[in-house]
Amino acid sequence: MAADTRDRIVFSAMTLFATKGFASTSIADILAAANVNSGSLYHFFPGKQDVLVAVLEAYRDGIHPQLLDPAWKGVRDPIERVFALLRHYRRHLRTTECTYGCPIGSIALELHEPDPAVRQLLSANFKGWIDAIEQCLLDAGDRLPADLDRRALATLALSTMEGGVMLSRTDRTLTGFDDAVRMFRDYVSRLEESVTPPRRARRARVARA
Amino acid sequence: MAADTRDRIVFSAMTLFATKGFASTSIADILAAANVNSGSLYHFFPGKQDVLVAVLEAYRDGIHPQLLDPAWKGVRDPIERVFALLRHYRRHLRTTECTYGCPIGSIALELHEPDPAVRQLLSANFKGWIDAIEQCLLDAGDRLPADLDRRALATLALSTMEGGVMLSRTDRTLTGFDDAVRMFRDYVSRLEESVTPPRRARRARVARA
DNA sequence: GTCTATAACCCGATAGAC
DNA sequence: GTCTATCGGGTTATAGAC
């Protein structure tokens, strides 16, 4: 089956790149994991680089179904969604004993001179993430200051996650991630409080509005 | 000269690892850059991995003379030092057209299963950075809330930088870095204001104290 | 300590039958 | 589209003279 084989290659490569990195994953690794022969892979892809392109396209196209929908399941409040997404990464770190973090970030820092297609796709992946969080912050409406740069705050959210993942992966402890996220949450709380000085049950009331 | 040769190897490797990454730098690259022969390198180092260890030790030992002292030249105010360090990374990005960021972060995310010595040194490098910023925040004394977790805030500073570098390197634009840092600065400003409501010339007076 | 030469291996990619 | 076999080149590391 043609489509199936291609998908198996992309999926196997996605997993391997996330686990071992791009350079450290050999074509032979991908072939073994996908149970495919060399000829088939090179039938679908001109080379290894193009497999990476397909993987990054899969991440980009899968951001809603694969990442956001699961992370936001049962979470409606837009600001809570921001932290639900961060919690999703935390869960990922925890279940892998702090070895896997964000695959896009890892590839972004691993490749120092990516070809244009790869770089653009990495960029598109980050953009999709920031767009989604920016939308949450826009949906938060007047719970946040009117003059707040919501895209910049979404960018800080991504930085918090990526930096936290970097630290936690290095230390094999959740401390770095948790510290960064806790401070980010404190910042967002202060932004909320700057609009509406804290009163009991305020959040619930606004959320219902 | 023995020491000289070893130093040349370490310095060349440091530059190459930062520029091309660890995996993409071959021993031959290091030999050419350091103007050294294979036999000399293997006289000093058992293997490539050990060169990386030496490079990471050099970064760790050089954090004050090589990184902080230059970044903090002429900056005394402890809180301004935090942002002076971030500005230092911005300058680095700008002068390399957003291609070089933090070498430690790049290596940390490139290596997925680093041997213990390497991982510990990466950890030590991050720790040195966070320690330095934490000390700034401690030196800020009562300009920041008494119950503020200053180490966690220093961790968020590192995350801001690393995440910002990741975005800027990917987009080849300073926007991501600037957005993240601007929001982080806003957070710190709000922390200061929460202690001392803003009055004109307040910062200058406190800085002089 | 430094030099040259090269071993031993693995990699990405290709060839060509089916 | 899939299979097997293999090429050509680059990699880390070693051997051994000086």
Side-chain angles (χ1 to χ4, degrees), chain A residues 19 119 123 170-171 186-187, chain B residues 19 112 119 123 170-171 186-187:
Chain A
T19 311
R119 197 166 62 74
S123 203
T170 301
D171 293 345
D186 180 62
Y187 177 35
Chain B
T19 310
H112 287 247
R119 198 167 62 75
S123 202
T170 301
D171 294 343
D186 179 61
Y187 177 34

Side-chain angles (χ1 to χ4, degrees), chain A residues 17-24 99-100 102 104-114 119-120 122-124 126-127 130 145 147-149 151-156 158-167 169-172 175-177 179-184 186-187 190-191 194, chain B residues 17-24 99-100 102 104-114 119-120 122-124 126-127 130 145 147-149 151-156 158-167 169-172 175-177 179-184 186-187 190-191 194:
Chain A
F17 292 165
T19 311
K20 313 182 30 165
F22 175 70
S24 302
T99 54
Y100 306 165
C102 169
I104 308 300
S106 299
I107 294 170
L109 288 198
E110 175 183 355
L111 305 177
H112 288 247
E113 279 163 3
R119 197 166 62 74
Q120 198 184 331
L122 288 167
S123 203
F126 287 137
K127 182 180 180 306
I130 294 174
D147 64 346
L148 175 74
D149 184 339
R151 185 159 194 84
L153 185 58
T155 302
L156 182 62
L158 178 63
S159 296
T160 300
M161 182 277 282
E162 294 287 4
V165 162
M166 185 185 288
L167 279 168
R169 267 190 46 188
T170 301
D171 293 345
R172 299 277 200 267
T175 312
F177 186 86
D179 279 359
V181 170
R182 181 156 33 85
M183 289 295 102
F184 179 71
D186 180 62
Y187 177 35
R190 284 170 190 267
L191 287 171
S194 77
Chain B
F17 292 165
T19 310
K20 314 182 29 165
F22 176 70
S24 302
T99 54
Y100 306 164
C102 170
I104 307 300
S106 299
I107 294 169
L109 288 200
E110 176 183 354
L111 306 177
H112 287 247
E113 278 163 3
R119 198 167 62 75
Q120 198 185 332
L122 288 168
S123 202
F126 287 136
K127 182 179 181 306
I130 293 174
D147 64 347
L148 175 74
D149 184 338
R151 184 158 196 85
L153 185 58
T155 302
L156 182 62
L158 179 63
S159 296
T160 301
M161 181 276 282
E162 295 286 5
V165 161
M166 184 184 289
L167 280 169
R169 267 190 48 188
T170 301
D171 294 343
R172 298 277 200 267
T175 311
F177 186 87
D179 279 358
V181 170
R182 182 157 32 84
M183 289 296 101
F184 179 71
D186 179 61
Y187 177 34
R190 284 170 190 267
L191 288 171
S194 77

Side-chain angles (χ1 to χ4, degrees), chain A residues 124-141:
Chain A
N125 272 280
F126 287 137
K127 182 180 180 306
W129 203 103
I130 294 174
D131 283 348
I133 297 300
E134 182 187 13
Q135 189 57 55
C136 289
L137 298 173
L138 288 167
D139 291 344

Side-chain angles (χ1 to χ4, degrees), chain A residues 63-117:
Chain A
I63 181 168
H64 277 277
Q66 305 290 338
L67 179 68
L68 299 177
D69 292 350
W72 289 348
K73 195 174 179 188
V75 182
R76 297 279 289 278
D77 183 83
I79 290 183
E80 281 313 302
R81 282 190 168 191
V82 175
F83 297 100
L85 182 55
L86 296 177
R87 240 179 286 126
H88 179 89
Y89 284 92
R90 186 186 199 275
R91 216 174 300 126
H92 203 194
L93 279 172
R94 191 167 47 73
T95 58
T96 62
E97 282 163 332
C98 294
T99 54
Y100 306 165
C102 169
I104 308 300
S106 299
I107 294 170
L109 288 198
E110 175 183 355
L111 305 177
H112 288 247
E113 279 163 3
D115 70 34

